[in-house]
């Protein structure tokens, strides 16, 4: 057993209002430089839709993630030898157009245009070539709120998989938001795709980062990530990606996307997992078993034996306490209401999603007379087809989605019952049995999903700076980059070398 | 005196610039060390030009090792006659040369005509491509035309030993005096190109990821002393 800690996120999709505040604050923090204009470490997609970059879920085309080949886990785009053979031209890499050509506006013209009959306009200017763009044809959220409708929606690879025809008349169609960041996977395929070994997973918190000194711009990570969350900076020729705002999480603060989330949909916490189980979990035969296999990697933070082992592996008490309070552990592992995005990519992603309940009660016009079990058929007739959610969150297994939706519905019915009556009926109902829950669990869930405050939603232990060398020497020098000792200096050469002899 | 300059001073100066420049850039300009791909902007032409050029130049490199580094006597001792060697060199070298030149011309046209690629191409980028075309062009001309129409020149008796003598620090510049002019131009321009390597994108030659196939797929890194016990 090799215990590691992972900082992970849950997003509660029911609460996402699609305001893009997360994307904007993320952009202003990380990608507002030239070379990164087209990058959105955080983006919010309207689904159904092709997403960003367009059709990123089309694994036949971009060849992201892993596949099982004769029972062995292989990169879908090919192993190291294939990659070195394709290093001069990567056939699977997306072009900029697949994201979009970023542009700004010629604002100066508004102020300095000569006197004319018509109002001056600010024409769009490409941020790549500096030329005017007469007609921008795609942008980061061009299809926001189903704009483009019946022409754009069929481009969604999940829609292609669905057998049934999707209603596209606006009064009948469905829509949901899917905010996406890097998944900080347990089995990241971007890391395995990097010929230079520049991408790595941090041992202490599982954050996946790019070492820009080591990155040589071989660009296999861009399409090696099935979520398309590693980007190629055309100016520095290095890879860039979401870094889980590690300077913030190290200080115990949530990522900027979570901090600024208007709907408070995001939760951050620590989970403990057994790194020795990861490979086997990612290699199970049936893609629909991947979700359960991934859950099998996580460890119970309340188990004293696990705690003891974790301490042996260098995880300290602050992190163990945080793991007990972790909202991610509660939602994803304990209550099982949060699901991984596209588990079939076999990367064991660590950003989890509580599926949306849809405007479920559209169906129910007689709620006052409805008995509790009357809600069960409503779950099966959700406006967002269960098959669609399953295609995104459970490798097509509708049972997994149904269970979660039943639980969320049970929560809704119970909490409603507390106000308008009917709790006794609820306790006896088929709904509570099918949802496999209890009033006690529901009360906990309702608190975390509904009214949890900042320090319940974000349980983030601070970074492990106490492990650093020469903290005494470093004090007061941190902002003077050249003066401060380099991080990770070998203690044999550092101030504390005497300690080695004690 | 002219010979001493071109075949002693000039090679050593250019090689010194190359080595010191590379060391400096590796030590202090690591962030700029990359293979600056423009594939994100344009794929169609790159798909033809880039593999053509790169594979061609890899074959050409192997050919130069065979011609410059491995001594003439070695071939004779293993029974490769001069005639056989030249047939192989002209065919293999000619093919590689044509691949390199064709690939470079495609890449140059691409660089000059595709808007986003051109806008972000620097002087160094154009210099590199043009210089490579010149060096590869003279090399291909020597191999395919000079060797077949004038004389199959035995560079393994002159240029080869001279090149090796540079590395034993006993430059035998006398060997270069009788070399045909086109060969001299090829050699001198190649050394000029070497000097430019640290200042251009050509640095990526030295970071070909040879260790990748042997490496563990997943990479973990941790802060120093994270595992130190008892803290």
């Amino acid at each position: 057993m090799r215990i590691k800690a992972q900082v992970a996120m849950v997003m509660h999709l029911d609460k996402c209002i699609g305001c893009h505040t997360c994307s904007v604050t993320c952009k202003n923090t990380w990608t507002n430089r030239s070379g990164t204009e087209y990058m959105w470490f955080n983006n919010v997609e309207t689904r159904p839709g092709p997403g960003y970059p367009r059709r990123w879920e089309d694994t036949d085309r971009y060849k992201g993630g892993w596949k099982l080949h004769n029972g062995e886990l292989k990169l879908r785009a090919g192993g190291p030898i294939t990659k070195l053979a394709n290093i001069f031209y990567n056939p699977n890499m997306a072009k900029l157009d697949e994201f979009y050509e970023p542009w700004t506006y010629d604002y100066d013209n508004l102020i300095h245009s000569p006197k004319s009959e018509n109002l001056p306009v600010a024409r769009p200017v490409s941020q790549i070539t500096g030329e005017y763009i007469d007609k921008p044809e795609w942008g980061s959220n061009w299809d926001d709120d189903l704009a483009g409708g019946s022409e754009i929606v069929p481009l969604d690879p999940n829609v292609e998989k669905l057998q049934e025809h999707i209603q596209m008349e606006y009064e009948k169609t469905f829509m949901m938001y899917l905010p996406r960041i890097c998944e900080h996977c347990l089995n990241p395929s971007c890391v395995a795709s990097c010929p230079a070994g520049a991408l790595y997973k941090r041992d202490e918190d599982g954050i996946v980062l790019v070492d820009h000194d080591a990155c040589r711009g071989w660009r296999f990570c861009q399409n090696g990530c099935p979520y398309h969350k590693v980007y190629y900076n055309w100016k520095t020729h290095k890879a860039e990606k979401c870094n889980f705002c590690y300077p913030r999480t190290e200080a115990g603060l949530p990522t900027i996307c979570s901090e600024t989330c208007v709907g408070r949909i995001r939760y951050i916490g620590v989970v403990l997992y057994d790194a020795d189980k990861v490979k086997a979990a990612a290699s199970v035969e049936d893609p629909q078993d991947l979700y359960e296999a991934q859950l099998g990697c996580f460890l119970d933070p309340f188990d004293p034996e696990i705690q003891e082992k974790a301490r042996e592996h260098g995880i300290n008490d602050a992190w163990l306490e945080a793991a007990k309070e972790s909202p991610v552990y509660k939602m994803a592992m304990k209550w099982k209401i949060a699901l991984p995005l596209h588990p079939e990519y076999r990367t064991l992603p660590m950003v989890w999603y509580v599926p949306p309940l849809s405007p479920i009660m559209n169906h129910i016009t007689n709620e006052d007379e409805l008995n509790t079990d009357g809600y069960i058929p409503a779950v099966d007739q959700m406006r967002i087809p269960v098959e669609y959610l399953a295609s995104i969150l459970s490798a097509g297994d509708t049972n997994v989605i149904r269970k979660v939706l039943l639980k969320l519905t049970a929560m809704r019915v119970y909490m409603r019952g507390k106000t308008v009556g009917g709790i006794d009926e609820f306790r006896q109902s088929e709904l509570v049995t099918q949802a496999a829950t209890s009033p006690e669990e529901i009360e906990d869930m309702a608190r975390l999903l509904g009214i949890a405050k900042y320090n319940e939603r974000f349980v983030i232990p601070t970074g492990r700076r106490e492990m650093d060398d020469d903290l005494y020497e470093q004090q007061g020098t941190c902002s003077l980059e050249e003066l401060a000792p380099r991080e990770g200096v070998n203690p044999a050469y550092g101030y504390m070398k005497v300690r080695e002899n004690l | 005196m002219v010979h001493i300059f071109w075949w002693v001073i000039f090679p050593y100066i250019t090689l010194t610039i190359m080595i010191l420049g590379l060391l400096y850039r590796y030590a202090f300009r690591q962030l700029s060390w990359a293979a600056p791909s423009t594939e994100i902007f344009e794929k169609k032409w790159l798909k033809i030009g880039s593999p053509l050029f790169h594979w061609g130049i890899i074959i050409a490199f192997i050919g130069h090792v065979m011609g410059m580094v491995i001594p003439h006597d070695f071939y004779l001792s293993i029974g490769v006659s001069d005639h056989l060697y030249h047939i192989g060199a002209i065919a293999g070298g000619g093919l590689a040369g044509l691949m390199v030149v064709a690939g470079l011309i495609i890449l140059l046209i691409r660089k000059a005509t595709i808007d986003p690629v051109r806008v972000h191409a620097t002087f160094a980028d154009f210099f590199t491509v043009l210089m490579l075309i010149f060096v590869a062009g003279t090399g291909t001309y020597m191999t395919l035309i000079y060797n077949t129409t004038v004389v199959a020149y035995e560079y393994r008796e002159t240029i080869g030993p001279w090149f090796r003598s540079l590395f034993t620090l006993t430059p035998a510049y006398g060997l270069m005096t009788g070399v045909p002019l086109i060969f001299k131009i090829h050699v001198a321009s190649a050394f000029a190109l070497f000097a430019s390597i640290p200042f251009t994108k050509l640095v990526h030659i030295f970071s070909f990821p040879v260790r990748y196939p042997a490496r563990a797929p997943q990479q973990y890194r941790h802060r120093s002393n994270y595992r130190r016990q008892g803290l």
Side-chain angles (χ1 to χ4, degrees):
Chain A
M1 186 183 279
R2 213 159 32 113
I3 302 186
K4 288 187 194 292
Q6 166 90 32
V7 180
M9 187 183 284
V10 169
M11 300 196 207
H12 184 192
L13 295 183
D14 245 346
K15 294 196 285 183
C16 182
I17 59 169
C19 66
H20 303 284
T21 306
C22 47
S23 309
V24 171
T25 50
C26 172
K27 189 147 204 43
N28 279 316
T29 307
W30 294 112
T31 55
N32 55 353
R33 298 159 279 133
S34 78
T36 66
E37 301 95 339
Y38 82 97
M39 300 178 197
W40 295 85
F41 291 172
N42 181 107
N43 74 296
V44 185
E45 292 166 8
T46 302
R47 309 313 296 267
Y52 160 86
R54 262 173 291 176
R55 294 177 59 79
W56 59 271
E57 287 152 304
D58 188 349
T59 43
D60 289 337
R61 171 154 174 217
Y62 296 121
K63 305 259 193 315
W66 305 86
K67 64 174 181 182
L68 217 52
H69 184 70
N70 298 332
E72 270 208 56
L73 208 53
K74 300 267 186 232
L75 288 169
R76 194 186 294 275
I81 303 295
T82 316
K83 287 207 158 57
L84 293 190
N86 282 329
I87 204 160
F88 306 130
Y89 169 77
N90 174 1
N92 308 314
M93 183 188 170
K95 269 178 70 183
L96 187 70
D97 304 346
E98 249 104 16
F99 298 86
Y100 68 101
E101 183 172 355
W103 71 86
T104 181
Y105 293 93
D106 181 13
Y107 295 110
D108 202 52
N109 188 45
L110 299 181
I111 305 164
H112 293 115
S113 79
K115 192 177 175 188
S116 69
E117 253 180 60
N118 304 311
L119 272 176
V121 290
R123 291 175 63 192
V125 179
S126 164
Q127 285 177 302
I128 301 293
T129 60
E131 303 286 325
Y132 285 118
I133 301 179
D134 288 336
K135 186 180 158 214
E137 281 174 0
W138 194 261
S140 54
N141 277 293
W142 205 256
D143 57 340
D144 212 21
D145 294 346
L146 295 185
S150 53
E151 280 174 37
I152 296 298
V153 166
L155 297 175
D156 183 336
N158 299 293
V159 170
E160 282 172 4
K161 271 190 253 165
L162 291 189
Q163 295 296 316
E164 59 188 295
H165 173 70
I166 285 198
Q167 299 277 9
M168 275 315 301
E169 296 83 38
Y170 273 106
E171 67 277 15
K172 288 189 191 146
T173 192
F174 70 94
M175 187 185 102
M176 59 182 269
Y177 296 111
L178 184 69
R180 301 201 301 120
I181 65 169
C182 164
E183 301 282 339
H184 299 280
C185 306
L186 297 185
N187 184 34
S189 54
C190 58
V191 173
S193 301
C194 176
L199 277 143
Y200 63 98
K201 195 166 173 64
R202 291 215 301 191
D203 212 34
E204 66 267 33
D205 55 14
I207 294 175
V208 178
L209 293 175
V210 187
D211 176 350
H212 276 183
D213 274 343
C215 176
R216 297 286 177 252
W218 300 125
R219 76 218 175 279
F220 287 116
C221 52
Q222 179 172 326
N223 65 292
C225 170
Y227 303 95
H228 245 293
K229 277 291 171 191
V230 189
Y231 304 92
Y232 183 80
N233 182 323
W234 52 259
K235 189 162 188 181
T236 62
H237 307 290
K238 306 258 174 174
E240 295 197 28
K241 65 181 288 299
C242 158
N243 50 36
F244 213 79
C245 286
Y246 71 88
R248 287 178 60 88
T249 54
E250 278 181 6
L253 295 168
T255 62
I256 198 73
C257 53
S258 310
E259 172 84 47
T260 57
C261 177
V262 173
R264 301 182 177 182
I265 76 160
R266 298 189 189 219
Y267 300 80
I268 296 176
V270 174
V271 287
L272 304 177
Y273 72 100
D274 182 356
D276 284 338
K277 285 190 187 165
V278 166
K279 198 178 173 194
S283 315
V284 295
E285 186 72 34
D286 184 353
Q288 298 195 344
D289 293 338
L290 280 160
Y291 166 55
E292 284 295 333
Q294 183 173 5
L295 286 180
C297 294
F298 301 111
L299 302 167
D300 179 3
F302 295 94
D303 182 343
E305 222 173 281
I306 298 290
Q307 292 171 359
E308 196 44 49
K309 277 256 168 61
R311 283 192 197 96
E312 278 171 30
H313 286 82
I315 298 170
N316 69 3
D317 283 348
W319 280 64
L320 288 176
E321 285 309 309
K324 288 186 203 170
E325 297 297 315
S326 166
V328 178
Y329 181 75
K330 287 176 192 163
M331 286 194 266
M333 290 104 212
K334 199 167 142 201
W335 303 330
K336 296 190 171 48
I337 53 170
L339 302 169
L341 182 64
H342 286 297
E344 71 272 22
Y345 297 158
R346 297 180 183 274
T347 60
L348 309 192
M350 286 308 290
V351 174
W352 301 65
Y353 293 89
V354 180
L357 209 47
S358 308
I360 168 186
M361 300 311 154
N362 263 9
H363 289 289
I364 300 170
T365 46
N366 55 338
E367 196 163 8
D368 288 335
E369 294 114 59
L370 191 71
N371 71 19
T372 308
D373 293 338
Y375 287 95
I376 297 177
V379 168
D380 296 319
Q381 295 157 20
M382 289 271 181
R383 187 151 178 168
I384 303 178
V386 175
E387 291 78 12
Y388 185 79
L389 290 173
S391 161
I392 291 182
L393 295 172
S394 63
D397 188 349
T398 48
N399 281 330
V400 174
I401 304 288
R402 190 167 181 275
K403 263 192 210 160
V404 177
L405 294 183
L406 273 171
K407 216 171 202 181
L408 294 172
T409 307
M411 182 179 75
R412 184 190 182 282
V413 173
Y414 175 82
M415 296 308 285
R416 181 174 187 272
K418 274 179 70 170
T419 317
V420 301
I423 286 189
D424 293 335
E425 187 196 338
F426 177 81
R427 284 180 201 279
Q428 313 298 327
S429 69
E430 176 69 17
L431 177 63
V432 74
T433 322
Q434 281 204 18
T437 184
S438 65
E440 294 71 37
E441 188 182 75
I442 284 179
E443 296 263 2
D444 287 347
M445 274 177 13
R447 173 160 182 92
L448 190 61
L449 295 184
I451 51 178
K453 300 298 176 207
Y454 191 87
N455 56 5
E456 290 170 75
R457 285 183 281 126
F458 307 122
V459 184
I460 308 165
T462 50
R464 308 290 304 281
R465 287 304 170 112
E466 82 279 10
M467 300 296 196
D468 283 12
D469 301 306
D470 297 350
L471 284 172
Y472 186 71
E473 169 81 1
Q474 282 185 41
Q475 63 162 344
T477 59
C478 59
S479 61
L480 307 168
E481 283 171 20
E482 295 301 316
L483 270 179
R486 288 193 55 168
E487 285 186 28
V489 72
N490 185 325
Y493 304 110
Y495 186 65
M496 299 299 276
K497 65 184 170 193
V498 284
R499 197 166 57 198
E500 299 292 301
N501 303 324
L502 293 180
Chain B
M1 191 59 209
V2 175
H3 293 303
I4 291 181
F5 176 78
W6 283 112
W7 314 120
V8 180
I9 300 173
F10 184 69
Y12 280 130
I13 286 179
T14 50
L15 288 178
T16 306
I17 293 173
M18 181 179 93
I19 291 165
L20 290 183
L22 283 171
L23 288 175
Y24 177 84
R25 186 155 169 190
Y26 191 82
F28 301 111
R29 295 285 183 272
Q30 191 68 240
L31 272 177
S32 75
W33 195 299
S37 166
T38 50
E39 186 172 346
I40 194 164
F41 293 138
E42 200 280 336
K43 281 178 83 98
K44 267 189 206 147
W45 289 104
L46 190 79
K47 183 181 183 175
I48 310 166
S50 176
L52 207 55
F53 162 68
H54 282 97
W55 289 116
I57 208 155
I58 288 172
I59 301 170
F61 176 77
I62 296 168
H64 279 74
V65 171
M66 288 167 66
M68 294 294 105
V69 180
I70 299 173
H72 190 181
D73 296 344
F74 176 79
Y75 289 98
L76 296 177
S77 70
I78 59 165
V80 177
S81 71
D82 289 355
H83 184 65
L84 188 64
Y85 173 85
H86 280 287
I87 289 175
I90 290 170
L95 177 73
L98 288 177
M99 283 170 73
V100 171
V101 173
L104 281 168
I105 288 171
I106 292 170
L107 292 176
L108 182 65
I109 293 172
R110 173 179 180 273
K111 204 175 273 302
T113 56
I114 309 286
D115 280 354
V117 183
R118 186 189 64 247
V119 168
H120 297 294
T122 59
F123 171 76
D125 293 341
F126 279 106
F127 174 84
T128 303
V129 176
L130 289 170
M131 199 67 185
L132 277 166
I133 288 180
F134 184 77
V135 175
T138 52
T140 311
Y141 172 81
M142 282 149 46
T143 309
L144 279 182
I145 299 177
Y146 188 90
N147 272 344
T148 51
T149 56
V150 185
V151 58
Y153 182 66
E154 192 49 88
Y155 44 79
R156 289 178 297 167
E157 286 298 337
T158 53
I159 308 178
W162 164 79
F163 181 73
R164 292 194 293 276
S165 75
L166 288 177
F167 295 92
T168 55
L169 300 181
T170 51
Y173 64 92
L175 290 169
M176 290 299 286
T177 48
V179 171
L181 182 66
I182 185 78
F183 284 78
K184 284 180 173 171
I185 291 173
H186 178 72
V187 172
S189 58
F191 274 95
L193 178 67
F194 294 159
S196 77
I197 288 176
F199 312 100
T200 67
K201 59 182 176 182
L202 286 182
V203 289
H204 73 267
I205 304 167
F206 298 98
S207 46
F208 192 79
V210 282
R211 280 172 298 180
Y212 179 39
R215 184 198 92 190
Q218 296 304 357
Q219 304 281 301
Y220 291 97
R221 294 194 196 178
H222 54 84
R223 299 189 81 88
S224 69
N225 284 339
Y226 168 65
R227 291 175 180 283
R228 190 191 290 162
Q229 300 296 311
L231 270 175

